[in-house]
């Protein structure tokens, strides 16, 4: 049977933090979780973007419990400030779901963040790693608590190149820097589950990818990619609403397994309903995962000890 948003179990009493919820897949994830009763924390890069998303969700779910916040994942300082906001707003901490959804793709030129990192690697991987590490003590240590990280079909083209992690030797925007950052997300999500299991934690880490979905993600495409995107997207892609389903499945479905990876069930995993997704070989490389974890801790200056 095809799993849809109407299969989301009741979410009353649950609190979810969803990054990038002002646009695309994250917005639809927030809307559906709110529709099912969850309280949503929506961090965005500006107050106006967070408030606009809240307005659009309230138009469909007037009773939704929504908290705006500020977060720029490319900035170590901003990630820490966001976690302070969470502590101020929700003392004691009690987060049931964290969806690491925000991302940026295909920047035409190599850009550095204020911390000196390549922007796609910083936004898509280092920021979510630090955010997850800092929020971890604020997650409910209970079965049902889930951390979901968004990967991508492009993980199959990705390679973690420790000699070119910041694209300092060579910058290839889509199949280089972006693919590496999304593969890092997947490796992180699976390694996190290994560490949670070893620590005996009831919290689960899962990964998901949306297939190809019509969102703002392709806004940075130029030249041939832009042209191809314009003509091919309507044929090969699905709606953002549908693209949100694998992440929602990972975040809520009782049948989603800890350490699972979910994507659409159609041809090439481009469209369809949530189902187990194909993993690249690198996802099983535990030595690579450990090295990436240590590297992320060092670069973000954030220690991430997974405790039970
Ligand atoms: N769409 C697809 O076909 C596809 C395929 C594979 C994977 N994905 C993944 O799905 C996730 C969601 O993407 P989407 O397709 O929904 O794209 P989107 O519509 O462009 O949404 C991306 C979200 O990430 C936010 N974001 C970007 N940079 C940020 C930063 N520095 N700090 C905080 N938030 C930031 C954006 O905020 P602003 O509005 O401020 O830019 C936006 O809310 C991403 O992880 C992406 O890699 C998408």
């Amino acid at each position: 049977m095809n799993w849809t948003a109407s299969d989301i179990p009741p979410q009353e009493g649950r609190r979810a933090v969803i990054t990038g919820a002002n646009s695309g897949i994250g917005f639809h994830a927030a809307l559906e979780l709110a529709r099912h009763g969850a309280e949503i924390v929506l961090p965005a890069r500006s107050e106006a973007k967070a408030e606009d998303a809240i307005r659009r969700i309230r138009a469909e779910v007037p009773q939704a419990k929504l908290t705006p916040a500020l977060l720029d994942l490319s900035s170590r300082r901003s990630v820490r400030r966001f976690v302070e906001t969470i502590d101020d707003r929700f003392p004691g901490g009690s987060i049931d779901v964290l969806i690491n959804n925000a991302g940026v793709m295909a920047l035409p030129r190599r850009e550095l963040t204020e911390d000196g990192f390549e922007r796609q690697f910083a936004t898509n991987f280092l920021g979510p790693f630090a955010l997850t590490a800092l929020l971890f003590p604020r997650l409910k240590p209970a079965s049902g608590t889930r951390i979901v990280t968004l990967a991508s079909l492009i993980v199959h083209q990705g390679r973690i190149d420790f000699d070119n992690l910041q694209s300092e030797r060579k910058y290839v925007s889509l199949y280089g820097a972006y693919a590496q950052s999304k593969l890092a997300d997947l490796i992180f999500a699976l390694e996190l589950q290994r560490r949670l299991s070893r620590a005996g934690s009831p919290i689960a880490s899962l990964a998901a990818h949306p297939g190809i979905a019509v969102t703002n993600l392709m806004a940075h495409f130029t030249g041939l990619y832009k042209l191809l995107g314009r003509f091919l997207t309507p044929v090969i892609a699905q709606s953002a609403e549908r693209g949100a389903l694998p992440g929602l499945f990972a975040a809520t479905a009782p049948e989603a397994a800890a350490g699972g990876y979910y994507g659409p069930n159609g041809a090439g995993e481009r469209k369809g309903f949530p189902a187990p997704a194909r993993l690249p070989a690198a996802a099983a490389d535990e030595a690579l995962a450990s090295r990436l974890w240590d590297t992320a801790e060092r670069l973000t200056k954030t220690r991430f000890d997974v405790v039970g």
Side-chain angles (χ1 to χ4, degrees), residues 20 22-26 45 49 71-74 101-104 123 150-152 178 182 210-213 215-218:
N22 63 294
S23 177
I25 291 156
R45 285 197 282 181
K49 286 183 179 186
L71 172 65
D72 179 350
L73 282 160
S74 72
N101 163 81
V104 62
T123 307
L150 267 286
S152 166
Y178 178 71
K182 298 311 288 184
I212 303 178
T215 67
N216 291 327
L217 197 66
M218 287 150 204

Side-chain angles (χ1 to χ4, degrees), residues 10-16 37-39 96-97 140 144-146 251-252:
Q11 299 292 307
E12 278 82 11
R14 284 164 67 76
R15 179 176 297 136
E39 174 180 0
D96 299 275
V97 177
K140 271 188 203 155
T145 300
R146 295 188 185 178
T252 66

Side-chain angles (χ1 to χ4, degrees), residues 24 45 97 115 135 148 175 186 241 248 275:
R45 285 197 282 181
V97 177
D115 301 325
L135 283 185
V148 176
Y175 288 102
L186 177 59
E241 196 175 351
L248 283 166

Side-chain angles (χ1 to χ4, degrees), residues 19-28 43-46 49 70-75 78-79 100-105 113 119 122-124 149-154 178 181-182 185 208-220 233 237-238 240 243 270:
T19 65
N22 63 294
S23 177
I25 291 156
F27 173 78
H28 286 281
R45 285 197 282 181
S46 72
K49 286 183 179 186
L70 278 176
L71 172 65
D72 179 350
L73 282 160
S74 72
S75 154
S78 174
V79 171
N100 286 316
N101 163 81
V104 62
M105 180 177 83
T113 65
R119 186 169 299 284
T123 307
N124 300 350
T149 302
L150 267 286
S152 166
L153 271 177
I154 209 166
Y178 178 71
S181 71
K182 298 311 288 184
D185 283 336
H209 79 82
I212 303 178
V214 182
T215 67
N216 291 327
L217 197 66
M218 287 150 204
H220 298 291
T233 303
Q238 56 184 353
R270 287 187 297 271

Side-chain angles (χ1 to χ4, degrees), residues 106-125:
L107 297 172
R109 272 176 299 281
R110 179 174 183 257
E111 289 178 22
L112 293 185
T113 65
E114 66 181 36
D115 301 325
F117 302 127
E118 189 280 319
R119 186 169 299 284
Q120 293 177 85
F121 193 66
T123 307
N124 300 350
F125 172 60

Side-chain angles (χ1 to χ4, degrees), residues 154-155 157-159 173-184:
I154 209 166
V155 295
Q157 277 77 45
R159 192 169 86 83
S173 88
L174 185 60
Y175 288 102
Y178 178 71
Q180 175 175 253
S181 71
K182 298 311 288 184
L183 178 58

